[in-house]
Amino acid sequence: MQEFIWLLPTLPLLGFLSLAITGGSLPKRAVAAIGAGSIGAAFLVAALIAVEFLNAGEEVFVYQAWVWMSVGSFSPGFTFYLDGLSLVMMLIITGVGFLIHLYSTGFMFDDPSYSRFFSYMNLFVAAMLMLVLADNLVLLYLGWEGVGLCSYLLIGFWYENPANGYAARKAFVVTRVGDTSMAIGLFLLFRELGTLNIQDLMIAAQSEWQIGTGMAVACSLLLLGGAVGKSAQLPLQAWLPDAMAGPTPISALIHAATMVTAGVYLIARTHILFELAPSVQLLVAWVGLATLLMAGFTAMTQHDIKRILAYSTISQIGYMFLGLGVGAWSASVFHLMTHAFFKALLFLAAGTVIYSLHHEHDIFKMGGKRKQLPIAFASFMIGSLALAAFPFTSGYFSKDEILLAAYATGGPGVWLWAGGVLGAFLTGIYSFRLVFVVFFGASHGHHDEKEKTGFSMATPLFILMLLSLLGGWIQIPVESVFNHGQAHEEHHVSALIHGIMIAVPLVGIAVSYLFFFSGALSVEKLMSYKFSKILHRFWFSGWAMDALYKHLLINPFMWLARLNRNDFFDALYNSVIAISRSAHGLVAKTQTGYLGWYLISMAAGLTAVLAVGVYL
Amino acid sequence: METIPTEHGLILAGILFVLGFIGVLTRRNIVFVLMSLEIMLNASGLAFIVAAARWGHAEGQIMFLMILTLAAAEVAVGLGLIIQMYRKFQTVDISVLSEMNG
């Protein structure tokens, strides 16, 4: 079965091709069957491969489909590399991807561009599978750019609204900054080590570079740049909240469960390189911490249900980066998986809320919806518990592991741990603020709408609820990838630390309860202070990052563009045109249309030629 | 037998050619332009015959016969065109046909 691994990217790609070629002429049922069916089939193949791979007990399986190009010693191939890490990623992508596709068949049913939607979705899954299964960085980069393209296409899916197009461009351009840095990183790696095969690269790096070598630092910094862009971490996080302009299943699949975690995957995949550059690895942790706190504070102030979830995604990926930075590779991948479960659940439930309430996004215009939207309520409850790391939900286990690893690092680890715990406190507040405001209290409008969930939309929600609750008990087979044969080290910390980590999210939930449920504390009162008002505005704007970039980058660029409106080089080329035009005008004047004039000029020309011939 | 000197023949041919050319340039009636063209053709024919007589070759006379046929054919086509022109523009003034200018 393992040799059929090439089917994994191929099946969604075939789905994409058949949907793209038919161009929307298929009936909707056929589109749904192809769109969701191709991913379902891919998931089946992935599951069978996983069973065989785990039973065989091998650590690695490599399958080369064909050589892509061969230039001297450089011959990257369409080669798929299966180990514990790519196994987990491939199961998440096909599994969660299939659930979201199934959900979309119901959610998008009224959309006129049904077929286009599924063709993009299938292309995305194909590119994402290419990304995680690639055995060399060139193929990985192909998938990396492929998912970026699909992200752009799907954010701007409803392109009639110019704002959506702007959001799509913003996402594309901002991630491009990271992608460029990553491409330079690839060039540098190839020049220094002569290969781009990931495993060879790691071995070569280990044997050629000392720990902390300048080249190792440079390469890992450049790769980190790519990861930061894709995973929406500081300072390139600005695109993700705007990316919520796309349809909600897109936010679930691309901007929560899979694509934005590609940066985490990249760092985990090349972790040996980062281990060779401890300073960069520590930087990863600090970036993660700063991002998770910033996004946590911002999420508390947002009104739009999807923006809250977007900032919470940024924040959770910050946790993953924190884990990567302290060397808790498997914990980060574990959190990636549980996050895929509960964040997909939350987004799909948010989709149900939005869909049922006629595209209402503002949580303060909802209220008291738990009877009206029971399935969404249950989903939000479970998803938020997992998000806030309530004990024994899936998020608890993964976040716990990351924070324990941070605490055990020593040095700055305590501060990282403390920041992470503060982030958990914020997570408790903002996730339950959402739940309390939307589902409890007095209803603010939309009194009569019924929940719209057919079989296709409810089933994925139920499955994801189960996974969010119990996903923490799944053992992911990544030990052999990260530990290089050494036994897993247990983190022993005092009961006090454990107690704090369990209690803090609960305190956060309690604070949220006091503010938004019982009304013992009032937001209005808090906002009456000038200081908190300023702080609120600051956080609401996402720490004014957009304004910062506007002044720092966009305005100077626009200024330059205006300055050079009549492009200097264009003037150069235009002068050539002007000269030949005027020459043409001069010659055209001789074309009078009078026969006599032509004859005279002919005779004069002939005489001149003859004269030249005779006298010279 | 007294022969005409070659120079005289050539000068006559030259004069005829120039006269024809001036006719083509100056006449506005297209019939006269055509006639002037005939004169130019005959001038070159005369030059051929004079040259043939000078060198004692028959080729010059053959060339003249060819020019004669050519002129007949040319006149046939030319007159046809003139009739078309007259039908279309109701005139035989050549300067009217000056629309094809740059």
Side-chain angles (χ1 to χ4, degrees), chain A residues 588 591-596 598-600 603, chain B residues 21 24-25 33 94-95 97-98 100-102:
Chain A
Q591 194 107 9
T592 55
Y594 291 105
L595 196 59
Y598 295 159
L599 274 174
I600 288 176
Chain B
F21 187 66
V24 172
L25 283 184
V33 170
I94 194 95
S95 59
L97 300 185
S98 62
M100 278 179 62
N101 52 11

Side-chain angles (χ1 to χ4, degrees), chain A residues 13-354:
Chain A
L13 198 64
L14 282 179
F16 159 70
L17 284 178
S18 50
L19 289 175
I21 289 169
T22 54
S25 60
L26 290 176
K28 284 193 171 180
R29 295 212 169 279
V31 170
I34 294 175
S38 62
I39 311 298
F43 175 61
L44 257 165
V45 173
L48 288 173
I49 290 173
V51 168
E52 188 179 309
F53 180 81
L54 293 177
N55 280 341
E58 295 166 42
E59 290 188 352
V60 166
F61 172 78
V62 180
Y63 177 86
Q64 179 161 36
W66 71 82
V67 175
W68 184 358
M69 53 183 131
S70 189
V71 185
S73 64
F74 176 64
S75 55
F78 274 84
T79 308
F80 301 121
Y81 180 88
L82 187 66
D83 63 358
L85 178 59
S86 46
L87 185 85
V88 172
M89 292 300 290
M90 126 191 141
L91 285 174
I92 293 172
I93 293 160
T94 52
V96 177
F98 173 63
L99 292 176
I100 294 172
H101 274 73
L102 187 61
Y103 178 91
S104 309
T105 59
F107 184 84
M108 296 298 287
F109 200 77
D110 301 328
D111 199 281
S113 304
Y114 197 60
S115 168
R116 184 162 61 91
F117 180 78
F118 276 101
S119 66
Y120 290 167
M121 288 273 272
N122 279 3
L123 181 64
F124 168 76
V125 175
M128 190 71 204
L129 284 169
M130 198 89 87
L131 196 166
V132 296
L133 290 175
D135 98 313
N136 58 67
L137 286 173
V138 185
L139 190 59
L140 187 147
Y141 195 71
L142 176 72
W144 187 271
E145 293 298 330
V147 292
L149 169 70
C150 293
S151 160
Y152 166 76
L153 289 173
L154 285 162
I155 295 169
F157 181 73
W158 288 314
Y159 56 84
E160 288 91 350
N161 183 354
N164 294 348
Y166 178 78
R169 282 199 301 282
K170 183 172 177 185
F172 200 69
V173 171
V174 174
T175 48
R176 196 81 356 203
V177 176
D179 291 357
T180 310
S181 139
M182 180 175 160
I184 297 171
L186 297 197
F187 299 148
L188 195 60
L189 278 172
F190 183 72
R191 202 194 67 174
E192 291 301 313
L193 301 173
T195 175
L196 280 177
N197 180 299
I198 298 172
Q199 302 310 316
D200 296 348
L201 204 60
M202 294 304 124
I203 293 166
Q206 248 173 341
S207 61
E208 295 208 3
W209 289 340
Q210 300 292 313
I211 288 181
T213 323
M215 207 40 88
V217 171
C219 287
S220 48
L221 256 183
L222 287 166
L223 289 187
L224 173 64
V228 158
K230 206 55 136 192
S231 292
Q233 300 293 294
L234 275 174
L236 297 178
Q237 88 300 4
W239 64 274
L240 190 59
D242 287 334
M244 295 299 125
T248 312
I250 298 308
S251 314
L253 179 63
I254 300 184
H255 305 121
T258 53
M259 187 192 83
V260 287
T261 55
V264 179
Y265 171 78
L266 177 71
I267 294 179
R269 184 44 94 201
T270 57
H271 64 279
I272 292 174
L273 199 60
F274 282 84
E275 279 171 347
L276 288 175
S279 53
V280 178
Q281 204 191 339
L282 195 64
L283 178 68
V284 174
W286 284 111
V287 165
L289 182 67
T291 312
L292 82 89
L293 287 176
M294 183 228 104
F297 280 117
T298 310
M300 287 197 305
T301 57
Q302 298 295 316
H303 293 167
D304 184 322
I305 186 167
K306 284 182 75 180
R307 281 182 91 87
I308 298 173
L309 292 178
Y311 278 109
S312 118
T313 302
I314 297 176
S315 168
Q316 296 305 308
I317 297 172
Y319 274 107
M320 295 176 212
F321 270 64
L322 177 61
L324 294 171
V326 297
W329 312 108
S330 55
S332 280
V333 176
F334 189 36
H335 193 56
L336 191 163
M337 182 185 75
T338 57
H339 174 254
F341 295 152
F342 63 69
K343 194 48 68 66
L345 173 67
L346 283 171
F347 264 115
L348 293 187
T352 308
V353 172
I354 294 166

